[in-house]
Amino acid sequence: MLAHRFGPTHRDVPVIGQGTWNLERASRKEAVAALRRGLDLGMTHIDTAEMYGSGEAEGYVGEAIAGRRDEVFLVSKVLPHNASKRGTIKACEQSLKRLKVERLDCYLLHWRESIPLTETIAAFEELERAGKIRSWGVSNFDVADLEDALAIAGPGRIACNQVLYHLQQRGIEHAVLPWCERHGVAVVGYTPFGSRFPGPSGAGGRVLAEIAAAHGATLRQVALAFLVRRPSLFAIPKSSRAAHTEENAGAGALRLGEAELARVDAAFPRGAAPRTLPTS
Ligand code: NAP
């Protein structure tokens, strides 16, 4: 499994991780088995949040990583309405309890709302000093939000920005991705399959299918490989079935050549710069 350096953290993190939004809708046994299969295959970056199933997804993750904590790069998120200084610290402690761990590898602000960023960042720094998190980052931050966070925290503090990124929504490539690369911030792409993954009969899907056939791979594996083609990029597909997890893990070993990357780029053009950061 290919790994990239995760922003300023000095940690190498697998490019393909495991998301957990709506994981609690699947049977606990099946979902936990899928997460464990993912760990076996090197998908050790697990992304969760207090929001997911109101904490239930964190419970699933806690069960899946029991006895294997040291293998995992564990990420959770605080909801914006909890993101005051005291609220963030309390939310983190509750996440740790549900996950049955002592520490998170990275803790994110899920998205920005009205609570001042200074409070959230002060809490993140305190949590890091206390050893409850190893690093912190943000999610759904546009360039202006990133500038604000950088001005408060200083350079080398923001580990990642988790944002929407898939073949049919490449809006971050205009400004957010270049900003993050300039400032050494990892970019974690969520919803990598989009709302409707391209089938093999459409024009774009045919390109994916031809490239997939040349590698003995699948269309989704080609899509994921494209989405992590730069050293700043990570993807966190969610799967609640071991068979899906195995397919997604396979993308971590797939290297596309320059000509193949150019074909995917042309088949799924990045389009015009979005006015606001896309989130769905
Ligand atoms: P996604 O990973 O693009 O897609 C998940 C869907 O794809 C599920 O229905 C899953 O089905 C299916 N799937 C997964 N692998 C498959 C495969 N190999 N073949 C066929 N179907 C497959 O969407 P997402 O869950 O929205 O995004 C991924 C993760 O990003 C989330 O789980 C969450 O951790 C994170 N996220 C973060 C934010 C944020 O605001 N920061 C927002 C959205 C998502 P099964 O479950 O049946 O396997």
Side-chain angles (χ1 to χ4, degrees):
M1 166 77 64
L2 179 68
H4 289 156
R5 186 49 60 98
F6 198 81
T9 64
H10 308 291
R11 300 276 298 275
D12 288 329
V13 172
V15 291
I16 311 295
Q18 305 194 72
T20 63
W21 186 26
N22 293 329
L23 194 68
E24 76 290 346
R25 292 186 184 176
S27 96
R28 188 172 183 114
K29 201 171 156 204
E30 200 178 358
V32 166
L35 283 171
R36 287 198 181 136
R37 183 75 186 120
L39 292 181
D40 295 341
L41 296 170
M43 297 164 93
T44 52
H45 174 184
I46 298 186
D47 177 76
T48 189
E50 63 169 342
M51 186 187 100
Y52 300 163
S54 302
E56 218 181 326
E58 288 181 324
Y60 279 33
V61 172
E63 186 174 334
I65 67 174
R68 308 179 69 166
R69 172 66 188 94
D70 293 347
E71 292 171 45
V72 182
F73 187 84
L74 185 58
V75 180
S76 192
K77 315 184 193 79
V78 59
L79 278 165
H81 63 257
N82 287 337
S84 64
K85 175 122 190 264
R86 287 176 59 167
T88 301
I89 289 168
K90 192 168 155 213
C92 181
E93 284 165 352
Q94 287 171 341
S95 286
L96 292 173
K97 219 176 262 174
R98 285 188 291 265
L99 289 159
K100 298 195 174 71
V101 298
E102 309 265 297
R103 181 165 58 197
L104 296 173
D105 294 291
C106 198
Y107 195 38
L108 314 185
L109 174 59
H110 210 144
W111 66 92
R112 187 180 186 182
E113 271 178 10
S114 54
I115 291 180
L117 262 187
T118 44
E119 287 209 29
T120 316
I121 291 176
F124 284 161
E125 295 289 359
E126 192 172 316
L127 286 165
E128 192 173 321
R129 279 192 301 275
K132 293 185 176 169
I133 65 173
R134 289 178 86 158
S135 64
W136 60 265
V138 294
S139 177
N140 298 302
F141 267 39
D142 210 338
V143 167
D145 304 310
L146 289 163
E147 290 286 2
D148 289 347
L150 178 68
I152 295 163
R157 300 300 305 148
I158 310 166
C160 69
N161 186 19
Q162 187 179 120
V163 284
L164 180 69
Y165 189 44
H166 57 82
L167 290 180
Q168 291 134 317
Q169 181 44 266
R170 297 175 56 193
I172 60 159
E173 291 182 31
H174 291 277
V176 169
L177 178 63
W179 191 98
C180 288
E181 290 185 341
R182 270 200 309 282
H183 293 90
V185 173
V187 175
V188 179
Y190 70 69
T191 317
F193 299 134
S195 49
R196 186 177 295 187
F197 189 76
S201 51
R206 275 201 298 278
V207 170
L208 296 181
E210 281 170 27
I211 296 171
H215 289 273
T218 68
L219 279 70
R220 278 187 169 77
Q221 288 173 336
V222 173
L224 289 172
F226 179 83
L227 296 172
V228 298
R229 69 199 179 283
R230 301 173 67 84
S232 53
L233 289 169
F234 300 80
I236 45 168
K238 171 260 182 181
S239 135
S240 47
R241 302 166 207 226
H244 286 167
T245 304
E246 285 167 11
E247 178 179 352
N248 300 342
L254 176 62
R255 306 281 193 287
L256 301 180
E258 285 303 320
E260 292 170 326
L261 291 172
R263 285 190 72 198
V264 178
D265 176 61
F268 298 93
R270 67 178 181 168
R275 275 206 209 134
T276 55
L277 187 70
T279 54
S280 62

